[in-house]
Amino acid sequence: MNDWTSTVLCKIAEKAWGTKVARQCQCNGKVESHGEGLQGVRVHIEISLFNTLQYCSAPEKHENTILIEGEMIYPEKANGLQSKIDDVFNKIAKLIPNVNVTSFKSCTNGITSKASIINPRSQYCIGENLVIQCNMYDYLGNSKTYGGDFLRSRLYSKELGASVSGRIEDFNNGTYHIRFPLYWKGKVQVSAILFHPSEGIAALWRSRHSSSGVLEYEGRFVNFTQDEITACGFKLNTDKELCEYLDQDDEEAFYCIKPSNLPCESLNEMRSIVIRKSHLTKEETELFKRSNIGVEISKEFKFINVEDCKKHKSISLPKCETGMESPIPSGYFYKNIWNPVYCNMTNYETGDNFTNCLQGKKLFLLGDSTLRQFVMHFNDIKITNYLGFNQRNWNSWQKTLLAVNIDKDIYVFYKRHAIPLESFRFYYFKEDKYISRQIDQLGGGMDTIIAITLGQHFRHFPLTLYIRRVINIRRAIERLFRRSPETKVIIKSENTREIHASVEKTGDFYGYTQYLALREVFQGMNVGFVDAWDMTVSSATENIHPPGYTLQGIMSMTFTFAC
């Protein structure tokens, strides 16, 4: 390996793991030459980087650390974890209506329901609030006497690229108020949809907690020429001997049926399998036909006029900083640019914007494919290049990604959160680590940015699994801040997705309860909170991977917090 290439490779190692590991890399690296000149160096770097880094020693374990099924487990016990999980779960459970479907026609119907303006006027002013009242009725035209309907609302001016979500107040008697702050001048329209009726919400809540999940897993065990596939999951109803993969600190466990002739530590690959079983009754299933999801509530008005009555002046807001509380709604789009209402965001629209932020930094993206979008975007606008990865689009989305810009000293690392993952092809399981463990392995520092998201893959399972995971992530961040308080950490909420998604597997109601749990768990913490849920409701995005200006808003908010 020539001296220049060696320096480059070890510089990348240093960015990832520190100076000590980089020195070991330099001493132990053994790679072959791939030609002369710059082209040879480029090919050499792309092909050989991961082979070189494998000679680098991992950080030393704490003397009290124990090894369980390949996981590094730290000695501190997560005291009171279950109590905290129960507290968050119970707060959300109180929002769920306790009703049953006695007949389909007695359920809430968006078409017969009515939306009207409270104290209507011919003109409204920027800075005021527009309040819409929704009176809900069933299919027979009878007034509903209880709440719990899942509503989604937005105020928008399509020609202005402007929109904002509404804050919904449930009076638990069939009446709702939706409050919209007025931020721009012009003709605006209101959208208030009945996403699911209260009877459907009660049914979905029961369904989600009637089993241990609607995904099962198969694990492939490999030992030289032998291999065997067995059933895996968070809970297995079997009398067979099990392999337990336990994280004692986080009180997380995953199981596989033990192969007949292979050891538990030979688990190598994993894939998911959909359980084709519904916990809904026939009457409840009727509520979730596509024609009954996301029904626009009938309105007694078409649009309203908003004027700049007092020549409204923009209020000077502080720069968005970690630790700020994110309200609901957290912002609005205007001319397709996101404007947070509590702080001043930098609009990241060019490669130079990102380069100026990330130069000399290490960016760790931990979570799911909605963060993987960030790396893809960086490569699309030519500010970083993948190393050791040549596939495009969403092929092999679950693979770890590394992208760098040597000239600008930028290091970007993407790694999925651990199980649960929805992947119907086998993926390499041994590199899975919970996000809390990944955080524990990072030194942090002023040059370190960590962005975290999780949620879409958890919708298949009871809510408590998600709550446990995010509480453990919070605890890991607290440990990180104790050793490195200057590290920037950004939490991105999950976003809305396709309206036709299976309601019992990946529907948005399940995502909404996780969104509420995430806000609750990270309340009061010195992190940046990117409210991707609010942004995608505002822009009416129905895509698990938000496109265009919505993604730009999410990324702009993230890196305003980071830089």
Side-chain angles (χ1 to χ4, degrees):
M1 170 162 56
N2 69 44
D3 292 340
W4 185 87
T5 307
S6 174
T7 301
V8 170
L9 293 177
C10 292
K11 187 173 184 180
I12 294 170
E14 182 176 350
K15 294 294 290 182
W17 296 308
T19 304
K20 182 178 179 181
V21 176
R23 290 200 191 101
Q24 294 167 343
C25 174
Q26 192 170 16
C27 292
N28 296 329
K30 301 176 182 177
V31 293
E32 297 178 0
S33 174
H34 289 275
E36 299 297 331
L38 293 176
Q39 178 65 18
V41 169
R42 184 187 68 79
V43 174
H44 168 75
I45 291 175
E46 291 183 355
I47 295 176
S48 302
L49 177 62
F50 289 115
N51 292 331
T52 303
L53 296 184
Q54 73 179 348
Y55 291 95
C56 304
S57 301
E60 294 181 2
K61 290 191 296 180
H62 188 279
E63 62 179 356
N64 294 325
T65 300
I66 56 176
L67 196 66
I68 298 180
E69 300 295 351
E71 291 273 2
M72 215 179 250
I73 308 300
Y74 294 85
E76 58 182 343
K77 186 68 175 173
N79 295 322
L81 175 59
Q82 188 58 50
S83 175
K84 288 181 170 60
I85 294 169
D86 293 342
D87 287 345
V88 176
F89 181 84
N90 290 335
K91 285 183 179 180
I92 297 170
K94 289 177 181 178
L95 304 175
I96 308 303
N98 184 20
V99 295
N100 295 309
V101 178
T102 54
S103 78
F104 176 77
K105 292 189 178 298
S106 66
C107 297
T108 313
N109 179 11
I111 296 175
T112 58
S113 298
K114 301 279 191 297
S116 59
I117 300 173
I118 294 180
N119 300 322
R121 309 200 309 260
S122 60
Q123 179 180 295
Y124 294 83
C125 299
I126 293 177
E128 295 179 338
N129 285 312
L130 174 69
V131 183
I132 304 298
Q133 179 167 304
C134 293
N135 296 309
M136 311 306 286
Y137 296 84
D138 64 19
Y139 283 81
L140 299 174
N142 300 313
S143 297
K144 297 302 293 287
T145 58
Y146 49 86
D149 298 301
F150 184 33
L151 306 183
R152 183 174 291 176
S153 61
R154 61 191 289 261
L155 187 78
Y156 65 98
S157 298
K158 188 174 182 180
E159 65 280 3
L160 295 175
S163 59
V164 65
S165 67
R167 187 179 182 97
I168 300 169
E169 183 179 4
D170 184 353
F171 292 97
N172 295 310
N173 60 2
T175 300
Y176 300 81
H177 282 179
I178 306 175
R179 191 174 302 274
F180 296 103
L182 301 176
Y183 291 117
W184 64 87
K185 175 184 176 180
K187 185 181 290 186
V188 302
Q189 293 178 274
V190 171
S191 171
I193 66 173
L194 174 65
F195 207 90
H196 296 310
S198 52
E199 295 82 7
I201 292 303
L204 287 176
W205 182 260
R206 189 199 69 245
S207 172
R208 187 175 190 180
H209 300 98
S210 294
S211 70
S212 57
V214 293
L215 276 185
E216 290 180 341
Y217 290 89
E218 285 185 335
R220 174 181 283 155
F221 294 77
V222 178
N223 190 19
F224 293 105
T225 58
Q226 288 183 289
D227 72 274
E228 185 174 340
I229 295 173
T230 72
C232 302
F234 292 99
K235 183 179 180 180
L236 295 175
N237 295 317
T238 179
D239 293 329
K240 296 181 179 179
E241 185 179 359
L242 297 178
C243 293
E244 181 184 59
Y245 303 93
L246 174 67
D247 186 313
Q248 288 186 328
D249 293 337
D250 287 358
E251 300 177 27
E252 292 248 29
F254 188 76
Y255 304 90
C256 289
I257 293 176
K258 190 178 186 305
S260 53
N261 295 309
L262 295 174
C264 290
E265 57 268 22
S266 64
L267 177 59
N268 194 61
E269 294 177 304
M270 188 72 62
R271 71 178 175 191
S272 55
I273 301 172
V274 174
I275 301 174
R276 302 191 182 281
K277 178 182 178 181
S278 174
H279 296 278
L280 301 174
T281 66
K282 182 179 180 180
E283 291 79 9
E284 291 167 346
T285 302
E286 188 76 14
L287 296 173
F288 302 112
K289 287 184 175 179
R290 176 62 188 88
S291 58
N292 295 326
I293 298 175
V295 177
E296 190 76 33
I297 297 172
S298 302
K299 295 186 289 290
E300 298 176 349
F301 58 95
K302 292 185 177 179
F303 58 84
I304 67 165
N305 289 308
V306 179
E307 298 291 341
D308 192 359
C309 309
K310 301 176 182 178
K311 299 301 179 184
H312 188 77
K313 294 183 179 179
S314 299
I315 300 174
S316 180
L317 295 172
K319 178 188 176 295
C320 299
E321 299 281 359
T322 56
M324 288 182 169
E325 184 176 349
S326 176
I328 300 176
S330 62
Y332 63 96
F333 284 102
Y334 184 70
K335 295 183 179 179
N336 293 333
I337 296 174
W338 182 250
N339 296 268
V341 298
Y342 61 101
C343 62
N344 185 31
M345 182 196 82
T346 301
N347 186 31
Y348 281 72
E349 55 184 345
T350 69
D352 287 343
N353 294 140
F354 289 105
T355 299
N356 291 337
C357 171
L358 294 175
Q359 187 165 0
K361 302 284 180 62
K362 297 174 289 189
L363 171 62
F364 295 89
L365 302 170
L366 309 178
D368 60 31
S369 59
T370 63
L371 271 184
R372 189 181 187 271
Q373 276 186 281
F374 288 21
V375 194
M376 296 171 69
H377 184 68
F378 293 153
N379 282 264
D380 288 343
I381 61 177
K382 310 301 182 187
I383 68 167
T384 59
N385 292 306
Y386 291 129
L387 287 172
F389 185 82
N390 299 310
Q391 300 181 40
R392 300 295 297 164
N393 301 321
W394 299 109
N395 294 325
S396 301
W397 66 266
Q398 72 275 17
K399 287 188 176 180
T400 298
L401 290 181
L402 176 62
V404 299
N405 182 326
I406 300 297
D407 293 335
K408 299 295 184 180
D409 196 22
I410 298 172
Y411 173 97
V412 181
F413 178 82
Y414 162 79
K415 188 174 179 65
R416 65 181 182 261
H417 62 69
I419 202 100
L421 294 170
E422 183 182 29
S423 176
F424 301 112
R425 63 178 67 180
F426 277 111
Y427 64 90
Y428 186 56
F429 180 74
K430 282 190 176 296
E431 69 177 18
D432 265 12
K433 290 197 183 301
Y434 298 128
I435 288 179
S436 55
R437 283 303 148 262
Q438 296 182 48
I439 294 170
D440 281 339
Q441 292 180 334
L442 297 177
M446 294 181 64
D447 64 345
T448 301
I449 304 165
I450 304 172
I452 299 167
T453 194
L454 69 167
Q456 297 286 350
H457 295 262
F458 286 78
R459 296 186 183 190
H460 305 79
F461 299 92
L463 180 59
T464 49
L465 177 66
Y466 180 79
I467 296 173
R468 179 184 301 274
R469 193 69 58 86
V470 294
I471 289 176
N472 283 326
I473 290 171
R474 178 187 171 112
R475 291 180 166 188
I477 294 170
E478 289 171 344
R479 293 192 291 271
L480 171 68
F481 284 162
R482 284 197 291 271
R483 65 181 180 269
S484 184
E486 66 274 21
T487 307
K488 294 288 188 180
V489 178
I490 297 94
I491 305 296
K492 183 185 80 67
S493 78
E494 64 188 284
N495 48 264
T496 59
R497 63 176 300 165
E498 295 77 7
I499 200 168
H500 56 74
S502 171
V503 293
E504 280 191 279
K505 296 179 175 68
T506 56
D508 268 353
F509 170 65
Y510 289 173
Y512 179 65
T513 57
Q514 293 176 174
Y515 164 71
L516 295 178
L518 189 75
R519 289 187 68 98
E520 178 69 24
V521 168
F522 285 98
Q523 189 175 29
M525 196 172 197
N526 188 30
V527 298
F529 187 83
V530 178
D531 199 336
W533 185 273
D534 186 38
M535 293 186 192
T536 49
V537 169
S538 176
S539 64
T541 299
E542 296 175 4
N543 190 330
I544 190 173
H545 301 114
Y549 69 88
T550 306
L551 175 62
Q552 182 179 324
I554 292 170
M555 294 188 72
S556 294
M557 200 69 190
T558 300
F559 292 104
T560 300
F561 282 128
C563 300

